[in-house]
Amino acid sequence: MTDLRDSQPKVLAPATLLVIRGPNIGVRYELGERTRIGRDLTNEITLADPGVSRLHAEIIRERFAYIIRDCGSRNGIIVNGVRVEQKQLLRNDEIQIGNTVFLFNSDLRLENALFSQSSAVIYPGDAATQEISAEVPALEIPAGREKFLIEFLCALAGVFGNSPARTEDFGRRLLVHLLELFSADRAALFLRDVRTQKLRLTLVLPEGGTALFERSSIMRAFEERRPVLACEQPESIARIPFAGEDEGPIAGVPEVVHGLTMMCAPILSSESVLGVLVVEQAGTSQYSATDLALLHAIAQLAGGFLRGAQLGDYFELFAPKEGEPDFIPSRNPKVKTLFDQAKRVAQSDASVLITGESGTGKEVLARFIHNSSPRNQGPFVAVNCSAIPPTLFESELFGYERGAFTGALRTTRGKIEAAHGGTLFLDEIGSLDISLQPKLLRFLQEHAFYRVGGSRPIDADVRIIVATNENLEEAVKEGRFRADLWYRLNVVEFHLPPLRERREDIAPLAEYLLQKAAKRSGKSILGLDNSALLLLERYSWPGNIRELANVIERAVILASSPLLTSKDFAFLAAQPERRVSAGATTSDDEIVPLAELERQHILRALESFDWNQAKAAEALGVHRNTLRNKIVEYGLHKPDSKR
């Protein structure tokens, strides 16, 4: 016959009591066969509390269960809010004795949590007390605190159930729920700054109140990546300001006279700490370890959503706003006329040829034509002809069938097919190999093409815009470009002038590019002063707008003040003047003496800094006395000065 005891569940490990509220919060006691609790030092668990009797209660192990008994105490024992004389303990039962609350065989998962005045490390319990009963338990209807928690979780689902909103919106909705759940006086969201990697106060609710926090607890939660429960006295509390505000004293704030209880939980995403959630309530011992575990769980849920909201903010920052052009209107009459004509040409499907030096904005004009055309809902596909080897260009442009060549494991669409219903922009068309030009011409004539290795023609509704910094007419004469293809592409031609011929556009372009660069680098840059604008307008800009954008980006990154001055662009004045004309050659007659080049260079540096010799010497990388000697040697004088 089978022994009935062999079929009974067994306790795998000793049971424990975890202190979740009271002076010894965070301490875990292991229960033996008989564990006495009271004020006397002879007890296994001693509570230094005048509300606790010398021998207050005892917990006895009876086979597979633990029984708690009142030992004639004056104030009794309370289990799950009900005063009892004797009760069999179940997992997660809350036992209150005096001012201390225990949790029996806790399911709390607060690994490495920190508590004020204690460095206890707590872990989830492994032991289990199981009630042996053949009766089917009655269905319990949630009430009180349990009902509130269920309703709160349903409300919280509204925060996590939707796609991530903006960071501020997500944080505000979350803090509103935390205020309600924990009956908090204040809730706050601290976020890690992506540039400085420091923690900063981002949002506090309710708004308009004084933001009072104990800084060291917040920083411990942030740096050590674990939740913290702290009960602080008024002298430990400080006002943490928003960015740009000053820290102020807390004197005269009545709500912290009796101290402050604060819970901090780190918000994690993968291995990085995104921020810290903080809730606080006036007075000490207002929250328990159970509350901390709940806040910790909410912070863990918030990590992925907060990261998604931050990425959404990032992409929104750089996405073009509706109605906002990706260029600024030109002040140059020629360029203004050119864009007006381009807007009219955009209504047709005629091929467009855009010429101009590198960096003048040919792709910007091509996108303007596309966005102004009926095709603006279709794709805009840009291809740089000089960046693709001739052997790969055909498959890149037309696509290829599976098995067309070694490595063609699947059928792949080309750029023309990808641009169906939109615009195909071919940049640097002058570098297109002569062997590939007939295939492009055939597509322009028939609006159909064959994939590499394919036998079926594919129709494509695509508008072609091409650009080049070469003289295609000269290339046709030299036999490097087919005349029939040039005629087909050159239905409408636009020539973009270089930046040195439209100096009135340098200032507005610089301001526009500066704001874009400031957003990318996260700096608050107010703008450019007159000395910086004067230097930029006098520079020749051989790289045109592209070079201007790079120069502005460099200045913004290295800037130490919110207003850029000529000192931030001193490297331009130190650069020798460069030739910028395409295909220009230098003859012997154009060579000038080295001394004349040095004289011109020094003069240009002096003019750039309004004849401030100290700044010019710094830009030139020479001592001020050396510059003075050169000024005398070359007989340089400031305009309108006496000679």
Side-chain angles (χ1 to χ4, degrees):
M1 178 179 293
T2 303
D3 190 340
L4 183 61
R5 290 174 296 179
D6 295 338
S7 63
Q8 303 288 355
K10 296 182 180 180
V11 178
L12 300 179
T16 61
L17 290 183
L18 171 66
V19 182
I20 63 172
R21 189 191 299 273
N24 298 328
I25 185 171
V27 176
R28 187 183 295 274
Y29 298 97
E30 185 175 305
L31 301 179
E33 295 294 326
R34 180 172 181 263
T35 304
R36 296 170 299 175
I37 305 172
R39 195 173 74 250
D40 195 271
L41 295 177
T42 60
N43 296 306
E44 283 74 25
I45 299 178
T46 303
L47 301 178
D49 184 343
V52 177
S53 301
R54 291 183 179 276
L55 176 58
H56 198 104
E58 64 179 0
I59 300 176
I60 299 174
R61 179 176 177 177
E62 294 185 356
R63 299 188 67 188
F64 305 109
Y66 286 86
I67 309 296
I68 187 168
R69 294 194 181 103
D70 191 336
C71 296
S73 66
R74 183 174 68 255
N75 296 320
I77 57 177
I78 298 174
V79 178
N80 299 330
V82 179
R83 182 163 180 165
V84 298
E85 294 295 327
Q86 178 174 310
K87 184 183 183 300
Q88 182 175 327
L89 294 178
L90 304 176
R91 180 183 292 275
N92 296 317
D93 275 351
E94 286 191 6
I95 306 163
Q96 182 174 351
I97 298 178
N99 292 322
T100 300
V101 178
F102 299 94
L103 202 62
F104 178 74
N105 276 351
S106 162
D107 279 331
L108 286 183
R109 304 225 170 239
L110 274 173
E111 292 84 355
N112 302 324
L114 292 174
F115 304 93
S116 61
Q117 303 176 353
S118 172
S119 58
V121 178
I122 65 174
Y123 294 91
D126 296 321
T129 294
Q130 301 183 26
E131 181 177 5
I132 305 173
S133 175
E135 298 180 2
V136 178
L139 181 63
E140 294 185 5
I141 300 176
R145 179 67 173 171
E146 289 183 357
K147 180 181 179 183
F148 174 78
L149 287 176
I150 292 173
E151 292 174 347
F152 171 79
L153 289 175
C154 293
L156 200 63
V159 178
F160 296 121
N162 300 318
S163 58
R166 296 181 61 232
T167 302
E168 183 178 354
D169 297 335
F170 174 74
R172 187 178 301 277
R173 292 168 60 193
L174 183 58
L175 293 186
V176 166
H177 288 296
L178 293 182
L179 284 172
E180 179 184 7
L181 173 64
F182 296 107
S183 301
D185 295 326
R186 199 171 293 101
L189 175 64
F190 289 78
L191 292 180
R192 176 174 57 87
D193 190 286
V194 295
R195 299 178 300 279
T196 64
Q197 300 300 308
K198 294 182 179 179
L199 201 64
R200 62 180 178 85
L201 178 59
T202 304
L203 185 63
V204 175
L205 292 182
E207 296 178 338
T210 305
L212 300 171
F213 299 101
E214 197 280 310
R215 187 185 296 274
S216 63
S217 296
I218 299 172
M219 293 309 300
R220 290 187 76 175
F222 175 66
E223 294 171 354
E224 301 181 19
R225 304 184 180 190
R226 49 180 167 174
V228 175
L229 173 58
C231 301
E232 299 298 337
Q233 298 302 318
E235 58 270 17
S236 303
I237 306 167
R239 178 179 181 272
I240 298 181
F242 285 101
E245 295 181 348
D246 297 326
E247 292 198 20
I250 64 168
V253 181
E255 59 188 283
V256 297
V257 171
H258 301 293
L260 196 68
T261 304
M262 184 170 63
M263 295 190 296
C264 313
I267 305 174
L268 305 176
S269 178
S270 299
E271 295 300 320
S272 63
V273 184
L274 301 181
V276 177
L277 277 178
V278 180
V279 294
E280 61 184 26
Q281 194 175 77
T284 57
S285 300
Q286 298 299 308
Y287 294 124
S288 68
T290 306
D291 297 316
L292 184 63
L294 184 55
L295 180 65
H296 188 202
I298 294 172
Q300 289 177 312
L301 285 173
F305 284 83
L306 179 61
R307 180 60 175 164
Q310 289 179 328
L311 289 174
D313 288 348
Y314 178 84
F315 290 127
E316 183 180 346
L317 180 67
F318 299 109
K321 305 296 186 297
E322 186 176 354
E324 177 189 359
D326 53 1
F327 67 95
I328 62 168
S330 175
R331 297 177 180 177
N332 183 274
K334 292 182 179 179
V335 179
K336 290 170 67 176
T337 301
L338 184 148
F339 273 86
D340 288 341
Q341 293 174 348
K343 198 167 187 177
R344 292 194 294 271
V345 170
Q347 305 309 310
S348 71
D349 277 342
S351 299
V352 176
L353 171 64
I354 305 174
T355 62
E357 295 178 7
S358 179
T360 52
K362 295 188 289 294
E363 184 171 345
V364 171
L365 178 57
R367 288 185 180 274
F368 174 81
I369 294 173
H370 170 75
N371 292 333
S372 303
S373 73
R375 297 175 173 269
N376 56 11
Q377 299 301 315
F380 178 90
V381 179
V383 178
N384 190 326
C385 299
S386 63
I388 304 174
T391 54
L392 301 178
F393 191 85
E394 183 178 1
S395 59
E396 185 74 16
L397 193 64
F398 301 111
Y400 54 85
E401 297 286 349
R402 178 183 178 183
F405 49 83
T406 303
L409 302 179
R410 57 186 177 86
T411 299
T412 302
R413 296 195 313 164
K415 299 299 185 184
I416 290 179
E417 203 168 347
H420 179 71
T423 302
L424 178 65
F425 174 61
L426 300 175
D427 198 10
E428 304 295 347
I429 191 66
S431 63
L432 184 63
D433 191 85
I434 191 71
S435 64
L436 299 171
Q437 293 177 18
K439 298 179 180 180
L440 177 60
L441 176 62
R442 185 177 184 86
F443 169 72
L444 291 173
Q445 291 173 337
E446 300 180 0
H447 296 286
F449 65 95
Y450 292 86
R451 294 196 187 112
V452 175
S455 57
R456 179 177 58 88
I458 300 174
D459 295 328
D461 177 21
V462 175
R463 193 222 188 113
I464 300 293
I465 301 178
V466 299
T468 182
N469 58 6
E470 293 188 39
N471 188 328
L472 288 187
E473 192 172 2
E474 290 296 326
V476 169
K477 292 178 181 179
E478 296 171 5
R480 294 184 291 107
F481 203 86
R482 290 177 61 101
D484 48 1
L485 179 58
W486 180 57
Y487 294 138
R488 175 65 69 173
L489 295 173
N490 193 21
V491 177
V492 180
E493 180 180 352
F494 294 115
H495 178 74
L496 281 169
L499 193 55
R500 63 184 176 277
E501 295 179 8
R502 41 185 292 202
R503 293 190 180 274
E504 61 269 43
D505 283 343
I506 292 177
L509 276 171
E511 293 285 358
Y512 173 78
L513 295 169
L514 178 112
Q515 296 306 318
K516 289 286 189 182
K519 284 184 179 180
R520 285 193 294 272
S521 62
K523 288 189 173 182
S524 298
I525 304 295
L526 300 178
L528 301 152
D529 73 352
N530 291 334
S531 66
L533 288 174
L534 181 64
L535 190 152
L536 295 178
E537 289 174 351
R538 289 182 175 179
Y539 186 65
S540 64
W541 299 113
N544 295 293
I545 300 174
R546 185 177 293 119
E547 183 183 9
L548 175 62
N550 292 338
V551 166
I552 294 292
E553 184 90 23
R554 171 180 172 177
V556 167
I557 292 172
L558 299 178
S560 57
S561 64
L563 188 65
L564 299 187
T565 67
S566 56
K567 184 179 293 186
D568 295 294
F569 300 96
F571 58 92
L572 284 181
Q575 292 183 21
E577 195 73 28
R578 290 176 283 176
R579 286 195 174 276
V580 295
S581 301
T585 57
T586 304
S587 64
D588 294 341
D589 295 336
E590 294 174 322
I591 297 177
V592 296
L594 186 61
E596 177 62 20
L597 286 175
E598 185 179 46
R599 188 191 74 82
Q600 293 177 3
H601 188 49
I602 293 174
L603 179 60
R604 186 166 57 254
L606 290 168
E607 290 176 344
S608 298
F609 294 99
D610 197 23
W611 284 80
N612 185 315
Q613 295 182 16
K615 292 182 178 180
E618 182 182 355
L620 292 169
V622 299
H623 193 273
R624 188 172 179 179
N625 291 337
T626 303
L627 178 60
R628 286 175 176 171
N629 294 335
K630 290 293 183 180
I631 291 173
V632 174
E633 179 183 348
Y634 293 128
L636 301 177
H637 299 276
K638 186 176 182 180
D640 300 327
S641 63
K642 293 182 180 180
R643 300 193 176 189

